[in-house]
Amino acid sequence: MRRSLAGVALAVTSMVALSFLIPLGALVMSLVKEQSVTAAEQRAAALAPVLTLTTDPSALRESAAGLDAAEHLVIHLPDAQSLGDSQAPVKLLERAQQGRESISQKTPGGWICLQPVVLPGDRVAVIENFVPDEELTRGVKASWAVMLLLAVGLVGGSVLVADRLGAKVVRSSKKLAQASHLLGQGNLDTRVEPMGPKELRDAGVAFNAMAHRMTELLAIERELVADLSHRLRTPLTALHLASERMAGTPESARVEAAVHALESELQAIITTARTPLAVGPMGHGMRSAETNTGRKPTGTGPASECPRSEAAEVVRRRTAFWSVLAEQQNRPCSLDLTQEPTAVSLSDDDIAAVVDALIGNVFSHTPPGTAFGVRVARTAQAVELVVEDSGPGIPEPDRALSRGSSTGSSGLGLDIARRAAAVTGGTMRIAHGPQGGAHITVVFALAPPAPPERGPRGSRRRARWWPRTR
């Protein structure tokens, strides 16, 4: 590419230089020639007054020598006497003398100027001034050399500048290409420093944004794999409890071994897929930074496009599922649901994942017989899901929210609940309950009101956003 740019600069600059050099060189030659001829004619015209005053040869020679040191001035007197070495052809002299015509034309070896002078008695003398070819081109070669040197400098400078610019462009392109190859080979930390022309700088910025976005999407994908794998622990727990009820039967040992093997494989999947949180959770794609900071997100699309479900109804269904397992382990289970609407901006599966994660932690980390309770309350602008138990509690609540930090646990359950709350603009709190066990409160912000429906005549019925509080 550098050679191409240098070649283009060389060709363009050479054409421009030649387009100026050729006419300029011809103009210089023409000016020098014109100046020499004009000077010769002026010298001949200056000698004419002297010739009208006297025809004395010595006086005329002295005057001619004063006007032309090169002795190119020749005076042809009427009596055919010539003062000096004449270079004029005989026919031209006769033409100038007889026709009394001033002649200035090219002759072999130079340029001849003939100036007739009418003397007293109607006699005609002719003043001849010969300009040799070397005088017609004096200084032309030097001028051409200077112009050629300037043209060569201009061409060389343009090629050098084009080469430097090309080197900068090539360097930027090579770095961008190398970074693309590294990114394609799996080096997700590859970034480029935007440099070069504006277009390449924009390409570098776009490449960095693409690499960052790709890293985020891969993190979300791995995070989703870990979350989905964690959801499999719910039926796995049911299988484990079923295997315990089969104790003593011939199939119990094999079922128990299969359950343990499945649990080990599931834990390996979660460990492998675990990655730091990049963006929004729960499989809804990217979430804004405002969502992750706990502020209520504002979508750009209509409210009907956002997921929407009744939290209390989903909690009721999932608690009914877990109550069967709780009865088998002699776990007292209580459920308290509000009668007010509890619409939140999550799908049923997402809320079910939160309930399963929280109740599943009770079964996983408390001994059989431990009581637990589930409560759904409604406030002015939020829905609160509370899961508490009478077990040993959580000694380090802040650390429990970090993935993979808990001993013997993947740490995904509480993190799933926390991120689900953050999606709606809510929060999550971990505390000690009245009985000393864990007291986990997940706050979901209420979903925005559904779009108003049109009446039969195109009118809109007002939709009520916030219901009455308790």
Side-chain angles (χ1 to χ4, degrees):
M1 188 174 185
R2 290 175 61 181
R3 291 183 179 179
S4 299
L5 291 176
V8 169
L10 176 62
V12 172
T13 314
S14 299
M15 292 175 61
V16 173
L18 288 176
S19 65
F20 280 96
L21 278 178
I22 294 176
L24 194 59
L27 179 62
V28 169
M29 176 176 286
S30 175
L31 289 176
V32 171
K33 177 181 178 181
E34 184 178 352
Q35 289 176 355
S36 300
V37 172
T38 301
E41 292 174 349
Q42 289 176 350
R43 288 194 294 270
L47 187 59
V50 178
L51 189 59
T52 58
L53 295 177
T54 180
T55 58
D56 181 56
S58 60
L60 294 175
R61 285 192 180 94
E62 184 178 354
S63 298
L67 292 173
D68 186 8
E71 298 183 354
H72 292 308
L73 275 175
V74 179
I75 302 173
H76 299 276
L77 297 175
D79 56 359
Q81 182 182 3
S82 298
L83 303 179
D85 297 330
S86 178
Q87 301 291 334
V90 177
K91 290 183 178 181
L92 284 179
L93 284 174
E94 292 177 352
R95 175 183 166 188
Q97 190 172 20
Q98 295 175 4
R100 301 181 181 183
E101 175 186 354
S102 296
I103 298 175
S104 178
Q105 68 178 40
K106 184 73 173 64
T107 60
W111 192 273
I112 193 73
C113 295
L114 298 177
Q115 179 66 42
V117 179
V118 179
L119 301 178
D122 199 26
R123 295 179 303 165
V124 177
V126 177
I127 302 174
E128 172 191 340
N129 196 354
F130 178 75
V131 183
D133 287 337
E134 57 265 24
E135 290 188 13
L136 292 175
T137 58
R138 181 177 299 174
V140 172
K141 293 183 179 179
S143 300
W144 284 359
V146 172
M147 289 188 294
L148 182 61
L149 184 61
L150 290 176
V152 171
L154 178 62
V155 172
S158 65
V159 172
L160 181 61
V161 171
D163 181 74
R164 292 298 88 199
L165 292 176
K168 194 174 183 180
V169 172
V170 169
R171 192 182 308 115
S172 303
S173 303
K174 284 185 177 180
K175 288 187 176 181
L176 190 59
Q178 292 172 357
S180 300
H181 288 307
L182 291 176
L183 186 64
Q185 293 171 1
N187 188 356
L188 300 181
D189 294 330
T190 302
R191 298 293 185 273
V192 296
E193 180 181 357
M195 58 183 298
K198 182 180 182 300
E199 292 76 10
L200 285 178
R201 291 199 305 270
D202 293 342
V205 172
F207 176 86
N208 291 339
M210 177 195 68
H212 181 69
R213 175 65 171 170
M214 184 183 299
T215 304
E216 287 184 339
L217 292 177
L218 290 176
I220 293 174
E221 184 177 357
R222 297 186 64 191
E223 188 177 36
L224 183 60
V225 171
D227 291 348
L228 294 177
S229 301
H230 188 273
R231 292 187 184 185
L232 294 178
R233 286 194 163 184
T234 298
L236 186 61
T237 302
L239 288 176
H240 186 71
L241 295 176
S243 68
E244 291 181 353
R245 293 197 306 271
M246 296 173 59
T249 63
E251 297 292 328
S252 62
R254 188 172 63 181
V255 172
E256 186 69 20
V259 169
H260 284 298
L262 181 59
E263 187 172 10
S264 299
E265 292 295 331
L266 190 60
Q267 182 63 35
I269 293 174
I270 294 174
T271 303
T272 303
R274 186 172 63 239
T275 185
L277 178 61
V279 285
M282 309 307 293
H284 293 318
M286 299 293 290
R287 300 291 177 179
S288 64
E290 291 183 352
T291 299
N292 292 331
T293 57
R295 288 177 288 179
K296 189 172 182 179
T298 56
T300 57
S304 59
E305 297 180 1
C306 300
R308 187 184 183 91
S309 61
E310 284 290 331
E313 177 61 23
V314 178
V315 172
R316 184 191 63 76
R317 293 198 304 264
R318 297 312 301 165
T319 305
F321 167 80
W322 285 99
S323 63
V324 178
L325 302 179
E327 184 178 354
Q328 294 175 0
Q329 292 189 0
N330 297 321
R331 295 177 180 269
C333 175
S334 62
L335 176 63
D336 183 14
L337 300 177
T338 180
Q339 299 302 316
E340 298 184 68
T342 55
V344 296
S345 298
L346 288 174
S347 65
D348 289 357
D349 290 341
D350 291 340
I351 299 177
V354 174
V355 177
D356 291 343
L358 297 181
I359 299 180
N361 282 343
V362 175
F363 280 78
S364 299
H365 302 292
T366 61
T370 301
F372 70 94
V374 180
R375 178 166 54 90
V376 177
R378 164 68 185 274
T379 64
Q381 297 183 353
V383 176
E384 293 185 354
L385 170 63
V386 180
V387 177
E388 56 184 348
D389 59 68
S390 58
I394 300 177
E396 299 180 86
D398 294 336
R399 187 183 178 192
L401 291 175
S402 301
R403 294 184 167 213
S405 61
S406 302
T407 304
S409 172
S410 64
L412 290 174
L414 296 178
D415 188 59
I416 290 175
R418 179 186 64 80
R419 291 185 292 113
V423 167
T424 66
T427 58
M428 177 177 174
R429 301 188 299 271
I430 301 178
H432 293 284
Q435 301 178 4
H439 183 93
I440 302 174
T441 303
V442 182
V443 181
F444 302 105
L446 284 172
E453 300 178 0
R454 291 184 179 272
R457 295 185 179 180
S459 60
R460 293 181 179 270
R461 292 181 294 177
R462 296 183 179 273
R464 188 176 181 177
W465 189 354
W466 307 116
R468 294 175 299 174
T469 58
R470 293 191 299 175

